[in-house]
Structure formats: C-alpha cells, structure tokens
Amino acid sequence: MSRQSYASVVFFSTLFASVCSNAPIAPKCPESKIISQELIIKRKSVDVEKDGKKKEKKDEFIHKGTYVERKLDAEIESYSNSDHHESLKKAEKMFRYCLNQYISDVKIWMTGSFAAGVDTFKSDLDFTIKTSRWPEESSFQKLMKIKGFFIGNSLFKTGRVVRARTPVLKLVHLETDVEIDVTMDNEDSKRNTQLLSWYSQMDNRFSKLCRAIKGWASESGIEGAKNGRLNSFSICLMLIQYLQTLNILPNIQEFFPELNGPIEIEDDNYGRRDMKKEIQERGYKFEENERSLSDLYFGFLKFYAEFNFDKSWISVKNGKIMEKRFDETEKPLDGLPDSHHFIVVEDPFLTTPRNCGGSVQGSCFVERIQLEFKIAADRILKKKTLFGGYPSSWRTRLDNEGRKTDKRIKVFEKERMDFNLKLSEEVEQPWGRDYDGPEWHETRVDPQNFWDLDRRPMITYEESLPWPVYVPNMYCRVDFV
C-alpha cells in the first residue's frame, strides 16, 4: 500500500494507513476503579491579619476532585509540549550564523518567551542585536540595511521593517517556517526576559501556568496591544502578582535592591545565575504550597475577573497590589505611572514609572477583558474543561503538524515527478510508440484545499462576543454591548 498523507486519511474515511501484520500483543491493562468526576470549588472567607492589627476578609479558593483535577492539570500541561523546540533551535542557529557572516562585530541576544522558558507551540523567535556599524543611523535605518543582507538569502524569507516605537524586522526561516522578529538595542526586552527567567526558577508551576494562560489569552483575544488590549508581558506580570499574593513567588527585587532600576544584561545566558539559591541564602523560606495547577489557574481567572482596576494597580516590584493614591494636586503617588486611568501593570525595572498595560485605553476594553476572565472561569465550573471557546492545544498542534507534513510530501512528490519526466525526455526510446491513453491525475488531496478551514466541516465552538472598536489615541470607543 502506498504511503498516505495525514490529510488523505482524515479526508477520506475509506483510506487507511498500512498496519504492521506482526505487531506484538498489547499488554493487559490493570483494573481501575471508577472515581468521582465531581468538581468541587468552594469559596471560603478567612480572617487574615494585616500589619499585626487590622483584619480583613480574604477569599481562598479550594479546588478538589480527583478525576477532574487531573484532567484540568493535563490540559494545562498540554501547553508545555516541547516538540517545536527543535524547529526553533534550528532557526536560531541559522539566523546567528548568517548574521555573523554579514556583520563581524554583531552581538546577538535572544529574547522573548522561548528564551525565558515560557513559550508555547505557537511561539516565534525574538532577537535584539547591537553593532558598532552605522553609528549615525537610526534603529529603523539599521534594520533596513540588515534587511538588504537577507534579501538574497535562500534560507530566509524577508518581510518588512515595521515602524513603531521599537522598529521590528520581520523574517521567516523557510525550512522550519519559524517567524523571527529582530530589533536594535532593545534593553527593555532583555530585562523582561531575564525577569521571567528568574521567576521560572522559583517554582516550576509558574512556567506551566504562564504557557497555558498565554495560550488562553491569545485564543480569547485578550492579548493584542495593537488592538487596544494587553501585551504578553503584562499578562505574565499579572500572573506573577497573583502568585505573590499567595506567597508562592517571592518579591525578588525586595531581596536584591540593585535590581530596582535599569540593569545591564551582558548576554542571553539567562539561567546562569541561580536566583532561587541566592534568595534562600538571604533568609527567604519557600512555603510548602501544594495547590494544583488547575486550582491556581482557576484562582487566577477569578482573581482578575473581580479585580478593581479603578482603585488598584499591579506592582511586581513592590510584591503586592497597590492602591491608586494621589496628592492634593492629583499627582500620582507611590510610583503610580502617569498613564493610570485604566489597567495599570507597572514596569518592574524603570525608575521613571511606566505602565506596561497602557495599551488598554478605554473602560469598555477593561470590562470586555474582565468578561473573558469570567467566561473562562465559568467554563471550568460548568464544562470542567479549559477548552470550549476554541480548539484544544492538542488539536491545534495536530493540525499544524499535519499541515507541515503534507506540504513537505507535496513538494517531494512534485520534485520526483519533475525528475522522472525530465529523465524520460532525455532517454532515447529504441522502439515502440508514444502513449496515447488517458491523462494521469493525482489522487492525493491537495494540502492547501484540505487545510482551508472554509472548505472543511469544523467542530462548532462557543460563539465569542465582539470586541470594542479600537481607535488609537482616543478614549472614546464603540462599546461591545
């Protein structure tokens, strides 16, 4: 039986891949007992002592249920799949090699989610570079010159240089189809990557939760600064702040005051410094907290679904939720950034306060973002799953890999057909006559047609509500109601 593609097997139910006739007998499965599928999530109000005097009510979420808890944990951990790392590493290696060939004195830092260890299977590569060439040119002009180097490169597809506060050169590694973003002298990106890497050392649950929450934020539409929503780094800081309130993560900058400002990142070996060991040596004791991933994930959703962004703001540097306070002249206090009208997520390094969540510039966007938090929490309660409003990470990965594999097969078959055709034209036929039978046609489903979502019957998902219309630099927008 000829080899079938993934698309062929799925598209035509009558086609099956060949099966080994002498496969070993499967081992006998152990007996299993049916356990409760009930998900119990209670809300208990407990007294919490504050400053040794004042007492306040604090909500604690208790998440129990053996089967469902394990199921939700597995869904969260599905975002931590590392199958895509090989492609990212190959693209990274080729980018570094090519750039070093073009610019001898270039210094390269890999930044972003992959460098920080919080990447998902959809993550691309981010680099920031530094060179002594073209000292009088702007960052945009330097990236345009670098773009010129890659135009004739057969390993990369060259995109445009995006004009922004931080210009970005877009590239694609052709072999792996990995997208690459390149910036010049982006110190913020290096510091942010280092911070996420340090917090990943503190507790391995952070990186797993971060991947799952970023995946959900992308699918639900919460992530997207260019559309007036939150950027990826702000979402990571919100998670760190939540885990700090539970004493799962410490306040690193409290133990290392020298980090409260613009720090210099020498290279992209972000794990060189064992921050967890250093912070323990300074007297910090990590509490034994065995709360599951699903418990913490659900708690994160409920925490920000009910968060009062009008009166409070997020400060990882201070290690706690801060109150929005002003002096008599309405000047912000306690390091509150000037852009403080809506969601405030403080940049943890800059001495001049800056709001990482400043892309959200309307109360309707705040309400819509918090609505998504509530919808996701309610989905866990009612459907006992993270997914429902969008395809699961397993299905998305399977579709992506199937698409890539089928495209490679298609390219290989075309090359083989062209080679055979060329060979038949070069070989002289000593006898016989030309073939005048019916024309041969391919029977394999074209991958482009199979993976065209408009042409395939798809699973129906929850209908999402429309988002407000984003108008740059304006507070008034069309509401989503």
Side-chain angles (χ1 to χ4, degrees), residues 127-277:
F127 293 95
T128 186
I129 62 178
K130 188 173 185 178
T131 177
S132 59
R133 295 181 67 176
W134 317 301
E136 303 299 326
E137 304 283 359
S138 65
S139 295
F140 180 82
Q141 292 169 329
K142 290 179 182 179
L143 290 175
M144 287 297 294
K145 292 182 181 295
I146 293 172
K147 175 184 175 180
F149 293 142
F150 280 94
I151 286 179
N153 193 314
S154 60
L155 300 176
F156 292 90
K157 178 183 176 182
T158 307
R160 62 194 182 100
V161 178
V162 180
R163 287 184 179 273
R165 184 175 67 90
T166 303
V168 181
L169 168 62
K170 299 284 188 178
L171 299 172
V172 178
H173 184 234
L174 294 176
E175 181 182 350
T176 59
D177 206 29
V178 170
E179 297 180 1
I180 299 175
D181 291 347
V182 187
T183 58
M184 295 293 303
D185 303 321
N186 191 348
E187 298 297 327
D188 289 348
S189 180
K190 291 188 282 186
R191 288 192 293 263
N192 297 344
T193 305
Q194 181 64 84
L195 184 76
L196 295 180
S197 177
W198 280 338
Y199 274 108
S200 296
Q201 295 177 16
M202 301 296 121
D203 193 304
N204 61 4
R205 287 173 295 182
F206 166 71
S207 57
K208 294 178 181 179
L209 286 168
C210 197
R211 294 186 185 102
I213 289 169
K214 285 175 58 181
W216 160 74
S218 175
E219 294 290 349
S220 63
I222 286 178
E223 181 186 350
K226 65 181 180 180
N227 295 319
R229 307 167 200 178
L230 292 168
N231 59 46
S232 177
F233 185 57
S234 294
I235 295 169
C236 294
L237 291 177
M238 291 170 70
L239 174 61
I240 293 173
Q241 182 82 97
Y242 169 68
L243 296 178
Q244 285 178 335
T245 64
L246 302 177
N247 294 323
I248 293 177
L249 293 181
N251 179 6
I252 292 178
Q253 289 163 287
E254 179 184 357
F255 289 88
F256 300 92
E258 64 273 16
L259 301 180
N260 291 309
I263 61 174
E264 184 177 350
I265 309 299
E266 297 179 359
D267 54 47
D268 55 3
N269 183 11
Y270 300 105
R272 176 182 63 254
R273 185 175 179 182
D274 190 343
M275 187 60 74
K276 184 173 183 178
K277 182 179 178 181

Side-chain angles (χ1 to χ4, degrees), residues 68-101:
V68 175
E69 188 172 25
R70 289 204 302 269
K71 174 179 177 290
L72 293 172
D73 285 350
E75 291 180 350
I76 292 170
E77 291 185 353
S78 68
Y79 285 96
S80 298
N81 184 278
S82 60
D83 292 346
H84 61 289
H85 283 187
E86 183 179 350
S87 297
L88 293 177
K89 290 177 180 178
K90 183 178 292 186
E92 176 201 357
K93 181 179 179 181
M94 294 311 302
F95 172 77
R96 289 181 184 272
Y97 173 78
C98 291
L99 195 58
N100 278 300
Q101 293 294 312

Side-chain angles (χ1 to χ4, degrees), residues 10-164:
V10 175
F11 197 81
F12 295 109
S13 59
T14 57
L15 295 178
F16 300 96
S18 56
V19 180
C20 179
S21 59
N22 58 348
I25 300 174
K28 186 178 180 181
C29 296
E31 296 183 3
S32 58
K33 297 180 181 180
I34 298 177
I35 55 179
S36 172
Q37 297 187 14
E38 219 172 305
L39 177 64
I40 306 170
I41 302 180
K42 296 181 181 178
R43 193 173 202 179
K44 185 175 71 175
S45 187
V46 296
D47 290 333
V48 178
E49 189 170 342
K50 186 177 181 181
D51 300 330
K53 298 177 181 179
K54 185 180 176 181
K55 288 190 175 182
E56 60 180 11
K57 295 290 186 180
K58 182 178 180 181
D59 290 327
E60 179 182 330
F61 295 96
I62 302 175
H63 187 176
K64 296 179 181 178
T66 52
Y67 166 74
V68 175
E69 188 172 25
R70 289 204 302 269
K71 174 179 177 290
L72 293 172
D73 285 350
E75 291 180 350
I76 292 170
E77 291 185 353
S78 68
Y79 285 96
S80 298
N81 184 278
S82 60
D83 292 346
H84 61 289
H85 283 187
E86 183 179 350
S87 297
L88 293 177
K89 290 177 180 178
K90 183 178 292 186
E92 176 201 357
K93 181 179 179 181
M94 294 311 302
F95 172 77
R96 289 181 184 272
Y97 173 78
C98 291
L99 195 58
N100 278 300
Q101 293 294 312
Y102 298 141
I103 308 174
S104 58
D105 69 335
V106 70
K107 192 169 184 181
I108 306 171
W109 288 264
M110 182 167 64
T111 60
S113 57
F114 181 51
V118 293
D119 56 294
T120 67
F121 56 89
K122 291 185 177 181
S123 295
D124 56 8
L125 289 178
D126 299 284
F127 293 95
T128 186
I129 62 178
K130 188 173 185 178
T131 177
S132 59
R133 295 181 67 176
W134 317 301
E136 303 299 326
E137 304 283 359
S138 65
S139 295
F140 180 82
Q141 292 169 329
K142 290 179 182 179
L143 290 175
M144 287 297 294
K145 292 182 181 295
I146 293 172
K147 175 184 175 180
F149 293 142
F150 280 94
I151 286 179
N153 193 314
S154 60
L155 300 176
F156 292 90
K157 178 183 176 182
T158 307
R160 62 194 182 100
V161 178
V162 180
R163 287 184 179 273

Side-chain angles (χ1 to χ4, degrees), residues 380-406:
I380 293 177
L381 287 175
K382 295 176 182 178
K383 298 187 176 182
K384 302 178 178 63
T385 180
L386 271 61
F387 311 115
Y390 52 91
S392 70
S393 58
W394 291 298
R395 179 182 177 86
T396 305
R397 279 209 316 271
L398 184 64
D399 283 1
N400 289 343
E401 290 303 316
R403 183 185 292 106
K404 291 178 182 179
T405 300
D406 283 1

